[in-house]
Amino acid sequence: MTVLTQKVMAHLQAIYHEGQTEQQIDQLTATLIETMRITEFAADVVPYQNHWSQQDVIMITYGDSIVCDDERPLVTLSKFIDSYFAGINGVHILPFFPYSSDDGFAVIDYSSVNEALGNWSDISSIASKRRLMSDLVINHCSSRSLWFQNFIEGKGVGHDYFYTAELDDDISKVVRPRTSPLLRETPTANGIKQVWCTFSHDQVDFDFNNPQVLIEFVKIIRHYLDVGVNIFRLDAVAFLWKKLASPSINLPQTHEVVRLLRTLIEHAQHDAMLITETNIPNSQNLTYFGNANEAHCIYNFSLPPLLINTLITGSCLYLKRWLMSMPPARDGTTYFNFIASHDGVGLRPAEGLLEQDELATLISTMEQFGGQISCRTTDDGQQKPYEMNIALFDALQGTTAGKDELGLQRFICAHAIMLGLEGIPGIYIHSLLGTRNDYLKLANTSHNRAINRHRWDYNQLVEQLAHPESLHHIVLKKMTELINIRTAQKAFHPNATQFTLHLGLKLFGFWRQSRDRNQSIFCISNISNQVQLFNVNELNLITDQTWFDLLSPLKIEDVNQEITLEPYQTVWITNHE
């Protein structure tokens, strides 16, 4: 028995310790290894390897965020990336499969590319030039899928893939991010069934108690590896395993499934990665690192609300407190940092980190800046704000006192902070382009998240980017400069040392040191709308080295000198280019 076989078998025994015989576990182990095409001679995975560096930056986009007449959107996207985002070496294309709702997250067919976007050749072409992240929508699929139609008919592939409950079952403790009823009444050939729907009644949840569902997803993973996918984003994975009379979130079997998938993926392609999308309180989110044997990366979901709060209040109290509490990621794992995405700014990850009055002020300020607030239903039936839906540029157009003229500076400051932090940065395409709230799309769809899902016409966008005075030109130029500087610094390796600096509440700072200890960078941002003076002696710089700012012509001539930081200015003071 190989080491891999022993590992997979141990995972499966932990997942299916009830309901599966030893012989069934043996057969399932063999099936999964064969499905992933891992030979018995495959070398064992070297643990705690980092398959990333400071050069990794991932752009997040829909396949049709930019469209051009008479051209497949994936071809347009690839052309645009090559022309304007050359310094970005990774791209996360949000679900590019046939779907029925939720802008792609209700997948009809996992084996096909949405014809409205392109084909598998287009996907492979993008993957040949950059690391490609793809969603693995593993918790649920579309109610219009063939699998669910077979469930309704009671025969064929998928007829036993979905989780059901009874109306009198105890589901009172179930944690959900939506307000719709959990159970969907569905007439089937076998009578009325109550189908579990964590998100919407068009998104029907899988039943991983059935090992055949696991086999199906391993087949999907193998297919995606074959077409060039290198990073797998496990969408909504926290809800994967269900159990009555429980919260049905973050259950032990869910963590074990993640561990199993990591084992299989690493042995099939050693540098492939798993990233867990778990929009939950920070302490729960961190558990998806496991012991460096679950997710390679976890989304740093607490960063967006805390950073926005910092910049609109002019106080880094909560952001600094959070950063000091974050454990350094072990080798083989790292954080995925982002401050904007296709979804809204989640508020659950701020639970326990921001005071209630601070949250209330944050929410009301975003509403003043044109944002929408989405709610979820709590255990006691109350409606509670779940996320803020707003374009990041608009979210940073002012402070709690109202809008001002420093929005661009505030926006760039947010990204300078994010790009310096421990972890891999992910940047939403609309942040790179300075896209504003899309009120027309919001009105046409009545979906709050549509406000931050603008679709650009290629020619109009290119025209905007050609004008030096255009906001979109200015934002892309400044963002490109930041990214190019960041990717050249060894101290910004995702696993380089990080310590929080204590510089008061108006200056947010942290220190990064390269893994070879040759480079230090002190990242200091004025997060207020007033000029701040800062004495360099607070950094205890080594006096026999030359120190300078990577973002400006500033040189440190005297380790006791005082420097002036303009509102929302960031300096990256280093001793080594």
Side-chain angles (χ1 to χ4, degrees):
M1 184 182 298
T2 66
V3 173
L4 173 62
T5 299
Q6 291 177 324
K7 285 183 177 179
V8 173
M9 190 174 296
H11 292 313
L12 293 172
Q13 287 169 341
I15 297 168
Y16 299 112
H17 57 274
E18 297 176 1
Q20 296 292 312
T21 66
E22 185 174 333
Q23 183 177 1
Q24 289 172 319
I25 292 292
D26 289 347
Q27 181 58 49
L28 182 55
T29 299
T31 299
L32 295 180
I33 293 174
E34 180 181 354
T35 300
M36 287 295 281
R37 299 202 300 273
I38 306 171
T39 70
E40 62 178 308
F41 304 108
D44 197 22
V45 172
V46 178
Y48 314 124
Q49 282 193 311
N50 297 323
H51 302 298
W52 44 80
S53 74
Q54 65 275 11
Q55 296 177 337
D56 284 293
V57 178
I58 295 177
M59 192 258 299
I60 305 164
T61 182
Y62 279 102
D64 59 355
S65 289
I66 305 171
V67 294
C68 186
D69 291 342
D70 302 322
E71 187 172 65
R72 296 190 302 275
L74 287 173
V75 173
T76 303
L77 177 65
S78 182
K79 177 173 65 177
F80 190 85
I81 293 173
D82 290 345
S83 298
Y84 292 94
F85 301 149
I88 293 176
N89 70 345
V91 58
H92 170 203
I93 304 179
L94 290 152
F96 45 79
F97 320 104
Y99 71 97
S100 56
S101 64
D102 199 17
D103 278 359
F105 286 94
V107 179
I108 293 176
D109 180 8
Y110 290 83
S111 65
S112 302
V113 175
N114 184 350
E115 291 182 355
L117 298 178
N119 53 46
W120 282 117
S121 294
D122 299 327
I123 292 294
S124 294
S125 176
I126 293 172
S128 69
K129 292 177 283 188
R130 287 171 176 81
R131 299 190 78 169
L132 176 61
M133 182 194 298
S134 171
D135 289 276
L136 191 67
V137 186
I138 196 169
N139 178 71
H140 52 261
C141 71
S142 168
S143 64
R144 287 175 48 193
S145 66
L146 176 60
W147 292 341
F148 195 66
Q149 295 310 305
N150 287 344
F151 168 81
I152 291 173
E153 295 173 9
K155 58 184 180 181
V157 176
H159 78 277
D160 54 354
Y161 280 12
F162 300 95
Y163 196 88
T164 61
E166 301 295 335
L167 288 175
D168 57 355
D169 284 333
D170 182 5
I171 58 174
S172 61
K173 297 179 181 178
V174 174
V175 173
R176 298 184 61 227
R178 297 291 186 271
T179 57
S180 57
L182 174 64
L183 300 180
R184 162 192 161 141
E185 184 173 283
T186 305
T188 77
N190 297 311
I192 299 293
K193 299 294 182 182
Q194 301 296 330
V195 180
W196 194 285
C197 299
T198 299
F199 291 90
S200 78
H201 282 191
D202 186 42
Q203 293 165 295
V204 285
D205 282 31
F206 291 112
D207 182 4
F208 274 84
N209 284 285
N210 177 1
Q212 192 59 44
V213 176
L214 177 62
I215 294 172
E216 201 72 62
F217 271 95
V218 171
K219 290 178 183 177
I220 293 167
I221 290 169
R222 181 63 261 179
H223 178 202
Y224 292 0
L225 285 170
D226 290 341
V227 296
V229 172
N230 182 259
I231 306 172
F232 294 85
R233 177 184 183 269
L234 301 185
D235 176 66
V237 69
F239 303 95
L240 179 141
W241 199 272
K242 288 82 176 164
K243 184 178 181 181
L244 297 174
S246 83
S248 291
I249 186 172
N250 306 323
L251 295 183
Q253 292 91 336
T254 294
H255 284 279
E256 198 64 50
V257 169
V258 176
R259 286 192 280 270
L260 168 64
L261 295 182
R262 174 163 177 160
T263 295
L264 291 171
I265 287 173
E266 284 187 329
H267 279 81
Q269 183 175 315
H270 78 281
D271 64 343
M273 295 163 51
L274 282 181
I275 177 169
T276 47
E277 188 269 330
T278 47
N279 194 352
I280 52 181
N282 190 58
S283 60
Q284 299 174 28
N285 189 32
L286 289 169
T287 64
Y288 282 87
F289 276 144
N291 292 314
N293 61 352
E294 290 190 35
H296 294 86
C297 298
I298 62 171
Y299 273 75
N300 227 340
F301 275 109
S302 296
L303 179 60
L306 291 178
L307 185 49
I308 293 172
N309 177 75
T310 293
L311 291 167
I312 67 167
T313 63
S315 169
C316 65
L317 173 64
Y318 297 100
L319 181 64
K320 184 167 70 170
R321 184 183 292 170
W322 164 77
L323 192 64
M324 287 189 294
S325 73
M326 294 295 283
R330 295 174 60 179
D331 281 342
T333 67
T334 193
Y335 294 102
F336 186 74
N337 296 323
F338 74 108
I339 46 178
S341 74
H342 63 291
D343 287 340
V345 178
L347 293 173
R348 288 209 71 206
E351 291 177 9
L353 301 174
L354 287 178
E355 306 291 346
Q356 286 303 312
D357 59 342
E358 200 81 12
L359 272 171
T361 299
L362 174 61
I363 290 169
S364 65
T365 302
M366 293 303 101
E367 289 178 313
Q368 291 175 36
F369 295 165
Q372 302 291 309
I373 307 301
S374 298
C375 295
R376 66 183 179 92
T377 303
T378 61
D379 294 344
D380 57 3
Q382 298 296 311
Q383 298 294 294
K384 187 173 182 178
Y386 172 73
E387 71 178 16
M388 305 180 297
N389 304 108
I390 189 169
L392 183 63
F393 198 91
D394 285 284
L396 297 173
Q397 281 307 288
T399 68
T400 53
K403 292 185 179 182
D404 58 28
E405 301 301 318
L406 296 169
L408 176 61
Q409 293 91 324
R410 202 177 284 111
F411 180 81
I412 297 301
C413 178
H415 286 92
I417 291 172
M418 187 267 285
L419 284 166
L421 288 171
E422 173 190 0
I424 298 172
I427 307 178
Y428 193 31
I429 188 171
H430 293 304
S431 294
L432 288 163
L433 299 173
T435 310
R436 307 296 296 273
N437 287 337
D438 190 334
Y439 295 112
L440 180 60
K441 191 169 186 179
L442 174 65
N444 288 340
T445 64
S446 298
H447 292 151
N448 286 350
R449 287 178 169 177
I451 198 171
N452 193 27
R453 296 179 178 179
H454 182 71
R455 182 176 295 158
W456 277 102
D457 175 82
Y458 176 84
N459 293 318
Q460 291 178 0
L461 179 56
V462 168
E463 183 179 350
Q464 286 285 327
L465 294 176
H467 290 289
E469 295 182 0
S470 159
L471 170 67
H472 309 294
H473 172 94
I474 293 169
V475 168
L476 179 58
K477 183 174 183 292
K478 289 183 177 293
M479 292 289 287
T480 300
E481 289 171 353
L482 273 178
I483 291 168
N484 288 343
I485 293 170
R486 176 234 153 74
T487 55
Q489 314 307 317
K490 291 194 296 182
F492 285 148
H493 185 285
N495 294 87
T497 300
Q498 175 175 289
F499 283 109
T500 308
L501 302 175
H502 299 281
L503 306 170
L505 297 183
K506 300 299 183 184
L507 298 177
F508 176 67
F510 50 93
W511 171 67
R512 304 294 307 279
Q513 185 183 56
S514 61
R515 293 165 67 82
D516 62 11
R517 300 187 179 182
N518 287 332
Q519 183 185 31
S520 286
I521 301 178
F522 292 89
C523 306
I524 304 166
S525 297
N526 177 2
I527 49 83
S528 77
N529 57 6
Q530 301 294 320
V531 171
Q532 300 293 325
L533 299 179
F534 169 67
N535 199 305
V536 179
N537 64 16
E538 294 191 51
L539 302 181
N540 293 318
L541 300 180
I542 299 173
T543 56
D544 62 354
Q545 294 184 347
T546 301
W547 297 86
F548 58 94
D549 179 23
L550 290 165
L551 303 180
S552 76
L554 173 68
K555 289 187 177 181
I556 308 300
E557 307 290 351
D558 180 354
V559 293
N560 292 308
Q561 79 184 68
E562 191 171 64
I563 62 176
T564 300
L565 292 180
E566 297 297 324
Y568 306 109
Q569 180 183 354
T570 295
V571 291
W572 287 345
I573 297 174
T574 187
N575 60 337
H576 190 278
E577 274 192 277

